[in-house]
Amino acid sequence: GGQPAPAPIADTSMKLVNDAAHPWMPLTADQQRGPCPGLNALASHGWLPRSGVATPGEIVTAVQNGFNMEYNRALLVTYAAFLVNGNLLTNLMSIGGISRLTGPAPPAPALASGLNTHGTFEGDASLSRSDAALGDNHSFNETLFQQIIDISNKVGGGRYNVSAAAEVRFQRFQQSVAENPGFFFSTPRFNTAFIETVFPIVFFIDGRSTDPGLDLDVMRDFFQNSRMPPDFHRRGTPSGGSDEELDFVMAAHDYVPGFNNGTVNSFTFDPNFMGTQTDTLCALYEKFVNTTMELYPSPQGDLRDAINTNLDNFFIPVSTRCTQIFPFP
Ligand code: HEM
Ligand code: MG
């Protein structure tokens, strides 16, 4: 069971990706879209199956082809998500909600319920989606998008740039502290919440542009309609999400990993956010391995083989920094 990770794509040059072979098409019944505007757009342009149900290998290849996401970053994010939200028996995952198209699921507590599933990968204080405890955690939210517009007008000169990203991140953090009694902002969400704020700048700006900010209408079309602008070219170099921009967003305000203690405004530092690790990337790796272990208490046969293959795939991008963990030897 399980499939080895695909090889990296060969051609990583800038190119037209909203091309004749990948037209945007509106959603039909049964097609899944979810909390990730990047994957949503890839599905609505046919770089991923338009059903929104895909293999992890298809996702790894599509994010490289469609957006020039760097290979190791694509592996890390995809296999993290697949291990906790995918169907390990059929090798399929929904990029949105639970779908019959992913086939018969392994027994509970395995989830196999897609990226909409709250609390394993999807988390709180998203830019354009509500906290799960406060509303819909996967659909575009106009009120939240208006906040992005307001902040971009105030500090980004009318575009979503790194200054806007930093203030949007902080505002959404403060809102969740003040409104969500169960707000969770520790590993892995502490990592993903920051990188997500720079993804629109890194991946949604046309590769031919030298503008450091994203046009807000283009941003809306990605976030709301899963649609690339006409003639959209992917960036001309692979990226995992810019380190400089990520550092800027993280340094713009004081953040610590933590959570609310069951009441609003009770945000508390999480002393266990590093697990047994000393490196944050390895802590994220360990967290997903531990979650996988909880979802599969005693896997056997094909299921066990598939889990182990996907754990091996997940380890590839961290192999130079972390020690591999084998929960099912
Ligand atoms: C958010 C999965 C690649 C852009 C998310 C979320 C998930 C996810 C589960 C929801 C997290 C949350 O906000 O609670 C994935 C997976 C990928 C991937 C499995 C596979 C490599 C990409 C790519 C892009 C992208 C290539 C950009 C081209 C974003 C953005 C958000 C997001 C901007 C934040 C949305 C918001 O906060 O409103 N992704 N993603 N992702 N993703 Fe992806
Ligand atoms: Mg979320």
Side-chain angles (χ1 to χ4, degrees), residues 99-317:
S99 166
R100 60 180 179 80
L101 298 178
T102 56
L111 291 164
S113 47
L115 292 182
N116 288 1
T117 312
H118 174 66
T120 44
F121 192 120
E122 188 286 318
D124 294 332
S126 300
L127 311 181
S128 70
R129 270 68 170 162
S130 173
D131 285 9
L134 304 177
D136 178 335
N137 72 342
H138 52 274
S139 303
F140 178 83
N141 181 309
E142 182 64 40
T143 308
L144 295 180
F145 197 75
Q146 284 301 328
Q147 294 185 175
I148 297 175
I149 292 177
D150 290 346
I151 290 175
S152 300
N153 284 332
K154 244 176 245 151
V155 304
R159 299 174 90 86
Y160 182 81
N161 63 8
V162 68
S163 304
E167 297 317 306
V168 172
R169 169 47 46 240
F170 190 52
Q171 183 175 41
R172 294 293 297 129
F173 170 78
Q174 289 178 302
Q175 285 171 333
S176 290
V177 169
E179 294 166 14
N180 181 354
F183 176 42
F184 182 80
F185 202 65
S186 183
T187 314
R189 188 58 189 149
F190 192 73
N191 316 66
T192 59
F194 291 97
I195 192 93
E196 278 166 17
T197 66
V198 305
F199 277 5
I201 300 166
V202 173
F203 295 117
F204 293 161
I205 295 178
D206 191 286
R208 296 164 299 177
S209 170
T210 53
D211 198 307
L214 175 61
D215 178 272
L216 294 173
D217 293 328
V218 171
M219 185 170 185
R220 175 189 285 278
D221 235 16
F222 272 111
F223 274 72
Q224 182 170 24
N225 305 318
S226 312
R227 185 160 52 197
M228 300 173 176
D231 203 34
F232 181 68
H233 286 56
R234 74 179 188 197
R235 54 177 296 118
T237 51
S239 174
S242 156
D243 282 345
E244 299 95 287
E245 286 164 355
L246 181 63
D247 291 347
F248 180 90
V249 171
M250 292 197 77
H253 295 278
D254 284 335
Y255 296 103
V256 292
F259 39 74
N260 273 346
N261 267 325
T263 53
V264 298
N265 295 313
S266 63
F267 194 79
T268 313
F269 172 67
D270 175 6
N272 298 318
F273 78 105
M274 291 295 282
T276 68
Q277 305 291 320
T278 52
D279 175 291
T280 51
L281 182 68
C282 302
L284 179 125
Y285 165 72
E286 180 181 89
K287 175 77 182 207
F288 276 99
V289 174
N290 286 341
T291 305
T292 304
M293 208 170 2
E294 287 161 19
L295 297 173
Y296 298 92
S298 55
Q300 304 298 326
D302 271 359
L303 178 59
R304 187 188 187 91
D305 291 346
I307 296 168
N308 280 330
T309 302
N310 284 291
L311 283 167
D312 287 347
N313 295 340
F314 180 43
F315 181 67
I316 295 169

Side-chain angles (χ1 to χ4, degrees), residues 7-9 59-71 74 234:
I9 62 168
I59 294 174
V60 167
T61 300
V63 298
Q64 295 173 83
N65 278 331
F67 289 114
N68 221 345
M69 182 181 262
E70 191 258 325
Y71 176 66
R234 74 179 188 197

